[in-house]
Amino acid sequence: MSPLLRLGALPGLALALVAGVAGVQVAAGGGDFRPLQPADACVDRSVTSQADGIEGLTEQLVLLGVDDAACTLDVSREALTLELAQQDEPTDAQVDAVREGLRAAVQELADDDALPPSSELVDEALDSADLNALVAAAIRALPDSVIDDALPTEDVLLRAVDELDVRAILSDLDDADALNTAVQEAVVQAVRDELTDRVRNLL
């Protein structure tokens, strides 16, 4: 066969190969292929964390809270994170939805009895606090029952969420993957500060 004829046969050969691959895919059930759809943010889901303490707790709060915010805004989680990363400033609706989503997440975990007692979180908060050693030692000496009665975890978390500068957090996102990390870091710090300030007042 001449080189010219061989070149002319290439498109037909490529078409035959594509048709063959498509036929195998259909035979294997691939004819029903559809692009993956983003998960419905309004569908309840269980969340877990590999981390412990305040970090693990806030990771669950953020996952649930962002889902709730996306549901409120009638978008997928993926669409919300992409919008926030592409905007210079979040809208009032987005700020309110994220804050209320976090509050709803606290309530959901409380209703499920999934919140640890605050006494389990105090040592971690004190480790990162800039406190006089004697004050820190006095706080650590408080009975767990005193801390838990005075500082219900749900109340501590709600106050921490209310103190968050959500607008600043959402304005500082570099990309769509940064939302969970940015919100979680802010919530972790807010919870630590809230616990430290309130438990110090017990002395």
Side-chain angles (χ1 to χ4, degrees), residues 112-125:
D112 292 340
D113 292 325
L115 294 178
S118 55
S119 57
E120 292 185 5
L121 307 175
V122 167
D123 281 345
E124 181 183 343

Side-chain angles (χ1 to χ4, degrees), residues 9-26:
L10 287 179
L13 179 60
L15 182 60
L17 288 174
V18 170
V21 171
V24 171
Q25 181 178 356
V26 169

Side-chain angles (χ1 to χ4, degrees), residues 60-72 80 93-109 158 161 166 183:
Q60 295 179 66
L61 289 179
V62 170
L63 290 172
L64 293 171
V66 172
D67 273 354
D68 187 275
C71 179
T72 297
L80 175 59
Q94 289 169 334
V95 171
D96 291 343
V98 170
R99 187 185 304 280
E100 290 307 312
L102 292 172
R103 289 182 60 88
V106 173
Q107 188 61 59
E108 181 176 340
L109 292 177
L158 288 174
V161 168
V166 175
V183 177

